[in-house]
Amino acid sequence: NLIKKTESSYKNTELLLYNYNNIKESISKYREQIKDLIENGIPNSSPAVRMIGNSGFKDNSTILEEQVNNLNHTIIRTKNTIRFINSVLSKIQTDKYYEIITLKYFQNKTLEEIAEYFECETSTITRNKKRLLNEIKVLLFPNAFIDELGH
């Protein structure tokens, strides 16, 4: 849900990279939820059987199993997203200025700190950050990029 259809692929790329560490961390939080469900059951679940909409009744063990399965599915989807981002980033890792991406988006360094690291002007960092993000966005969001071109 981080990706917004109304935003540009460039902004979505930045949003995804800024949240990369949070996305990775969410896997452990999902695992904790699964562990908690298995150890403690469904919160506020007093009746042994519940009415679920018009679909009928489900017992707590069925509901628990469904919740655990949904969380496991979310973990798989999140891992696939991380693998995809890593794959995209690996395609630009040999770039001289690749570390701009890791410093800016994963370590939250300022442009000034990054310029100091590279021993160059902030304008050089800004220009290369934009260039790298443009390369990444095409790999992450090819359809959105093509749509933005009007094709």
Side-chain angles (χ1 to χ4, degrees):
N1 291 337
L2 289 173
I3 307 305
K4 302 197 177 18
K5 299 209 184 283
T6 58
E7 296 288 333
S8 72
S9 57
Y10 186 91
K11 291 218 179 274
N12 282 333
T13 300
E14 282 199 305
L15 192 58
L16 194 58
L17 292 175
Y18 273 127
N19 286 285
Y20 176 80
N21 287 329
N22 292 334
I23 294 168
K24 285 174 62 173
E25 188 179 308
S26 70
I27 293 171
S28 62
K29 297 208 182 297
Y30 294 133
R31 286 187 177 134
E32 287 173 21
Q33 287 178 340
I34 290 171
K35 183 180 176 193
D36 186 54
L37 280 170
I38 291 170
E39 290 176 359
N40 302 314
I42 302 167
N44 303 323
S45 61
S46 54
V49 177
R50 292 188 195 179
M51 177 73 171
I52 308 296
N54 293 331
S55 62
F57 295 94
K58 292 185 181 180
D59 63 17
N60 282 342
S61 65
T62 302
I63 296 168
L64 176 68
E65 184 179 332
E66 287 175 354
Q67 288 183 357
V68 168
N69 286 339
N70 287 339
L71 287 167
N72 278 321
H73 176 72
T74 301
I75 290 171
I76 291 167
R77 185 171 173 233
T78 304
K79 283 181 173 182
N80 287 337
T81 299
I82 292 167
R83 268 194 290 277
F84 180 61
I85 295 168
N86 289 340
S87 169
V88 166
L89 292 176
S90 73
K91 292 179 180 8
I92 64 161
Q93 268 183 329
T94 58
D95 189 286
K96 176 181 176 182
Y97 290 99
Y98 170 77
E99 284 186 89
I100 291 173
I101 301 301
T102 59
L103 292 168
K104 176 71 177 160
Y105 298 102
F106 304 157
Q107 296 177 27
N108 296 313
K109 301 289 183 187
T110 65
L111 292 176
E112 291 77 17
E113 291 171 320
I114 299 168
E116 188 177 306
Y117 174 84
F118 279 96
E119 299 177 350
C120 65
E121 300 294 321
T122 56
S123 61
T124 302
I125 299 305
T126 301
R127 185 176 57 254
N128 282 288
K129 177 181 77 83
K130 185 172 183 171
R131 178 183 57 79
L132 288 167
L133 281 175
N134 281 323
E135 289 180 36
I136 294 168
K137 80 175 184 181
V138 173
L139 297 168
L140 284 176
F141 305 107
N143 293 333
F145 172 71
I146 291 168
D147 290 346
E148 290 167 8
L149 293 175
H151 287 79

